[in-house]
Amino acid sequence: MAPKGRTVPSKVGNSGIPPFISALPNHYGADAGPSRWLPARPAPVSARIVTLCVMRPIGTATRGTTHPNRLRRMDRWIAATHGPALRRADTPVAVDLGYGAAPWTAVELLERLRTAEPRTAVVGIEISPERVAAAQPYAREGLTFRHGGFEIALPERPALIRAANVLRQYDEGEVAGVWQRLCERLAADGLLVEGTCDEIGRRHVWVALGPEGPRTVTFATRLGSLDRPSDLAERLPKALIHRNVPGERVHAFLRDFDRAWAAAAPYASLGARQRWITAVRALSGDWPLADGVRRWRQGEVTVAWEALEPRGW
């Protein structure tokens, strides 16, 4: 009897292995090969059908640390900036990728996105089967949980993929490949948001990407917690965290931001928000900012990716 799996039209070479399986990238080490994707004993092949094993999720389990309300800054930014795209989508599906040991972030993402588009559905995806099972009691209309990884094996292309505090635990050299894989799964008007925050969500930096690749980098903070803008450097996403050194663009940006912040010190008597706005406005003379005062008032600033892109990227 053939092992359980899904069926695809048969296009089998002399080896008995379909060409598209042989061409799949190796995610399991140098000794991995097509045998990792196929049954130990090949299934019977008819003239039209070959039965294959279901592919294992791509990625590795993260620590899973999570807290309620941790991703509020990212969620609010997504709802404000990506809301129009969600409303245009025929089936607005958002993915909370790697939601962690508890499903709080997926529950909150649904609530916040539905303020922008009430039809939005959220799918929480975790590579740990135990975490998926633990999340099931929280499933409801518009919110489901499933086992998976970077392959995003959904029937529809999502309008949004959010991956928060996931890639920070990978090597820098793996980031570009993961970004490409996730962007390839997006709907035509879709958005990937990938970044890192502290344990209680006071400081957060993320990259926004479209199907074509990275677009912007957003810095967001609770202004009362900030001594200087470069305090955010410790929350840079994996693509940038090791590039905060002299000669790199992100280092120059944070240096200039600190100088603008110091020059705006007289506005501190009016509150941290006014000081932030004044500093960001001064920064806009030399750096290509992608937002305006409405977002600055939230303790945010968004910069074009090209201005911060690591050298040799």
Side-chain angles (χ1 to χ4, degrees):
M1 180 181 294
K4 293 182 179 179
R6 56 190 176 87
T7 58
V8 296
S10 175
K11 292 185 178 180
V12 181
N14 293 333
S15 66
I17 298 171
F20 81 94
I21 290 292
S22 300
L24 283 171
N26 185 332
H27 300 284
Y28 299 104
D31 61 341
S35 62
R36 303 297 296 269
W37 302 85
L38 292 173
R41 299 178 63 184
V45 180
S46 70
R48 302 181 61 183
I49 299 295
V50 59
T51 305
L52 303 176
C53 282
V54 176
M55 184 171 63
R56 287 199 296 181
I58 298 169
T60 58
T62 61
R63 290 188 297 271
T65 306
T66 186
H67 298 287
N69 219 27
R70 187 183 185 187
L71 303 182
R72 59 195 180 278
R73 301 184 192 282
M74 179 185 279
D75 290 353
R76 291 166 184 164
W77 181 87
I78 292 171
T81 63
H82 197 52
L86 293 174
R87 291 189 286 273
R88 288 192 299 268
D90 293 333
T91 54
V93 173
V95 170
D96 186 10
L97 180 60
Y99 55 82
W104 319 133
T105 59
V107 172
E108 293 166 352
L109 182 63
L110 178 68
E111 294 171 352
R112 290 167 183 149
L113 293 185
R114 284 197 164 180
T115 66
E117 171 48 68
R119 297 179 300 129
T120 302
V122 169
V123 181
I125 294 181
E126 250 296 341
I127 202 165
S128 165
E130 294 78 14
R131 294 174 186 172
V132 177
Q136 294 306 326
Y138 298 87
R140 62 176 190 260
E141 184 276 323
L143 179 61
T144 57
F145 300 95
R146 62 188 302 165
H147 183 220
F150 295 137
E151 71 283 355
I152 312 292
L154 299 179
E156 62 280 301
R157 290 184 177 272
L160 170 72
I161 301 173
R162 184 189 66 181
N165 302 302
V166 173
L167 294 188
R168 186 71 179 267
Q169 300 174 51
Y170 285 74
D171 292 333
E172 180 184 350
E174 298 177 274
V175 172
V178 172
W179 278 2
Q180 181 178 358
R181 177 180 291 277
L182 295 177
C183 287
E184 287 172 351
R185 290 295 301 135
L186 289 171
D189 206 13
L191 190 71
L192 164 64
V193 182
E194 187 272 309
T196 305
C197 69
D198 66 3
E199 288 73 12
I200 57 176
R202 295 174 303 173
R203 298 173 183 176
H204 209 153
V205 187
W206 60 80
V207 181
L209 306 91
E212 78 286 356
R215 296 174 177 173
T216 60
V217 182
T218 297
F219 298 78
T221 185
R222 181 179 181 273
L223 293 173
S225 73
L226 202 66
D227 289 330
R228 59 183 62 85
S230 61
D231 291 346
L232 288 161
E234 65 185 15
R235 298 302 165 183
L236 287 168
K238 194 66 180 189
L240 297 172
I241 186 69
H242 301 300
R243 303 307 185 102
N244 186 31
V245 294
E248 288 285 351
R249 298 180 180 97
V250 70
H251 181 271
F253 173 77
L254 291 172
R255 177 202 63 203
D256 288 358
F257 205 168
D258 279 353
R259 290 173 178 172
W261 179 256
Y267 289 86
S269 61
L270 301 176
R273 177 177 294 171
Q274 289 304 316
R275 186 178 182 182
W276 176 271
I277 291 172
T278 302
V280 172
R281 184 176 284 115
L283 201 62
S284 67
D286 298 313
W287 293 89
L289 305 187
D291 54 5
V293 175
R294 186 173 182 179
R295 301 311 307 172
W296 302 346
R297 289 179 59 82
Q298 305 299 318
E300 299 172 7
V301 61
T302 297
V303 192
W305 165 258
E306 292 78 9
L308 305 185
E309 183 179 10
R311 298 192 183 281
W313 184 260

